């Protein structure tokens, strides 16, 4: 409202606000940072800002007849300290308008900083990363930031350079080249984590099986020969230089009896007589089934189980 009538008195809200704005803008050299007056016309029937009727300023004015104003600064200002200074300018001028002589305490300001973030690679367990750290992943891995811990809880964002947008929080992306993740509080940079791409070494890949209780193994692209009705178990796949917890091993044509199938088939007892999903077998003949190792969306290796 431009003014508010209280009995025989009138509170000239717009006049007060414009007087303060004029005083404050004289102290701000950058004209793009100047304050402007905005009347939300909150009490009017046709206002576009009816939600403001629940605000503290509206409550103070209409309930207790106290002139109240909202002060906003742009999130694009270069620092939080500058925002605080501009807010103090406005508050002090309002106090002066009311005849209150303000004190001028020092601004106790802690610069925003990144404490840590949680980085998930290929949907596996989260990794704690800190400012200026480097994380090594394989080309084609998918990464996602699931948590940002800072000394300020609001206005936090992260940008995975070259693959996403300015706000990549909780978004998963495939990474093919070296990059960095920039963390910000509003527009203020608070941290950086580097992502280093490592090429996968496939010098040694072994598939460890159990067939009718006996351990055996085959190498990448080799075939494990079994008889129909043999009970097999995929114990593990050994990839040189890579933790087995970072990839998935899937026997095509086998679906475990569980509520949610993740595609991870290690550890299950598999009856070869029940491998009936012929469309997943080689050439659709129902004889030879691939065991595929993937890391994220990237296939690392495969071997085969052939039923004689």
């Amino acid at each position: 409202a431009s003014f508010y009538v209280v009995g025989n008195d009138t509170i000239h809200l717009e006049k007060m606000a414009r007087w303060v704005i004029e005083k404050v803008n004289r102290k701000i050299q950058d004209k793009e940072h100047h304050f402007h007056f905005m009347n939300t016309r909150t009490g009017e029937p046709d206002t576009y800002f009816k939600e403001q009727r629940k605000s503290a300023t509206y409550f103070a004015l209409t309930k207790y007849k106290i002139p109240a104003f909202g002060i906003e600064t742009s999130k694009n200002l270069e620092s939080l300290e500058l925002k605080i200074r501009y807010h103090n300018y406005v508050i002090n001028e309002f106090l002066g308008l009311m005849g209150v002589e303000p004190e001028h305490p020092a601004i106790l300001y802690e610069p925003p900083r990144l404490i840590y973030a949680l980085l998930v690679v290929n949907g596996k367990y989260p990794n704690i990363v800190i400012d200026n750290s480097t994380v090594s992943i394989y080309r084609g891995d998918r990464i996602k930031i699931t948590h940002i811990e800072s000394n300020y809880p609001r206005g936090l964002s992260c940008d995975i350079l070259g693959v996403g947008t300015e706000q990549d929080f909780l978004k998963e992306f495939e990474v093919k080249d070296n990059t960095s993740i920039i963390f910000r509080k509003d527009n203020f940079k608070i941290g950086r984590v580097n992502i280093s791409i490592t090429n996968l070494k496939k010098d040694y890949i072994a598939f460890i099986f159990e067939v009718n209780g006996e351990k055996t193994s085959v190498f990448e692209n080799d075939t494990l020969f079994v008889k129909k009705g043999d009970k097999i178990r995929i114990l593990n796949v050994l990839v040189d230089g890579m933790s087995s917890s970072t990839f998935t091993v899937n026997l095509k044509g086998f679906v475990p009896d569980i509520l949610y199938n993740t595609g991870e088939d290690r550890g299950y007892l598999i009856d070869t007589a029940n491998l009936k999903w012929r469309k997943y077998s080689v050439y659709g003949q129902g004889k030879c089934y691939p065991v595929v190792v993937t890391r994220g969306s990237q296939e690392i290796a495969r071997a085969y189980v052939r039923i004689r």
Side-chain angles (χ1 to χ4, degrees):
S2 295
F3 59 89
Y4 189 77
V5 178
V6 182
N8 295 325
D9 196 8
T10 300
I11 302 176
H12 296 280
L13 297 169
E14 182 174 351
K15 183 178 180 180
M16 296 169 66
R18 291 192 180 279
W19 185 90
V20 168
I21 289 171
E22 182 182 357
K23 293 283 188 180
V24 170
N25 285 344
R26 291 177 186 175
K27 301 177 181 179
I28 301 175
Q29 293 183 351
D30 191 337
K31 292 185 178 181
E32 292 188 356
H33 293 182
H34 280 184
F35 283 88
H36 301 276
F37 175 76
M38 179 180 179
N39 183 1
T40 60
R41 301 173 61 252
T42 305
E44 300 295 328
D46 59 344
T47 179
Y48 290 106
F49 304 95
K50 292 181 180 180
E51 72 279 359
Q52 293 296 328
R53 294 172 185 171
K54 299 179 181 180
S55 65
T57 50
Y58 188 78
F59 179 80
L61 178 66
T62 57
K63 181 70 175 179
Y64 293 102
K65 320 308 177 190
I66 300 173
F69 304 85
I71 308 168
E72 294 186 4
T73 52
S74 172
K75 67 178 182 179
N76 293 321
L77 291 176
E78 61 190 41
S79 70
L80 184 60
E81 185 177 8
L82 189 61
K83 294 181 183 181
I84 294 173
R85 183 183 303 127
Y86 287 171
H87 275 258
N88 280 347
Y89 286 164
V90 176
I91 292 170
N92 288 339
E93 291 299 338
F94 270 117
L95 291 175
L97 179 63
M98 300 298 177
V100 178
E101 185 174 344
E103 295 183 358
H104 297 282
I107 297 175
L108 299 177
Y109 165 68
E110 181 183 2
R113 60 187 176 87
L114 175 68
I115 299 175
Y116 69 87
L118 295 182
L119 172 67
V120 174
V121 180
N122 296 325
K124 299 291 184 179
Y125 303 109
N127 304 279
I128 296 177
V129 293
I130 60 175
D131 186 24
N132 288 323
S133 62
T134 298
V135 178
S136 294
I137 63 174
Y138 291 98
R139 192 179 308 277
D141 279 351
R142 301 184 67 84
I143 65 173
K144 178 169 65 173
I145 296 294
T146 60
H147 180 76
I148 303 173
E149 188 71 20
S150 172
N151 54 337
Y152 289 88
R154 301 177 61 184
L156 302 174
S157 65
C158 64
D159 178 10
I160 305 175
L161 300 181
V163 295
T165 64
E166 291 185 354
Q167 176 55 295
D168 296 330
F169 182 58
L170 294 178
K171 299 176 183 178
E172 187 177 61
F173 296 96
E174 181 180 355
V175 180
K176 297 182 178 180
D177 299 297
N178 293 338
T179 186
S180 296
I181 307 174
I182 305 300
F183 296 87
R184 293 185 176 90
K185 161 71 171 85
D186 296 328
N187 277 357
F188 182 74
K189 179 181 172 182
I190 61 174
R192 181 189 190 101
V193 172
N194 299 310
I195 304 297
S196 176
I197 297 297
T198 300
N199 290 320
L200 177 64
K201 296 180 180 180
K202 301 177 65 175
D203 298 335
Y204 176 84
I205 299 179
F207 292 71
I208 312 300
F209 293 91
E210 183 182 88
V211 181
N212 297 326
E214 298 290 332
K215 283 187 179 181
T216 186
S217 64
V218 298
F219 291 109
E220 179 186 9
N221 293 322
D222 283 349
T223 301
L224 174 69
F225 292 93
V226 297
K227 296 178 182 178
K228 187 174 182 179
D230 280 349
K231 307 298 190 297
I232 68 172
R233 197 188 306 268
I234 305 171
L235 298 180
N236 207 353
V237 176
L238 304 179
V239 181
D240 190 23
M242 183 183 295
S243 170
S244 61
S245 64
T246 63
F247 52 74
T248 300
V249 183
N250 178 230
L251 171 59
K252 299 296 183 180
F254 170 70
V255 179
D257 186 18
I258 56 176
L259 185 62
Y260 177 67
N261 183 21
T262 63
E264 174 57 68
D265 293 335
R266 280 176 288 188
Y268 292 105
L269 186 63
I270 302 167
D271 187 345
T272 55
N274 293 329
L275 291 177
K276 299 177 180 179
W277 290 73
R278 298 172 64 94
K279 65 178 181 179
Y280 293 108
S281 65
V282 178
Y283 305 122
Q285 296 178 350
K287 294 291 185 181
C288 187
Y289 292 87
V291 182
V292 181
V293 181
T294 55
R295 179 182 168 98
S297 60
Q298 180 184 13
E299 180 175 324
I300 297 174
R302 63 171 55 198
Y304 300 90
V305 174
R306 184 172 184 82
I307 304 173
R308 293 176 175 174

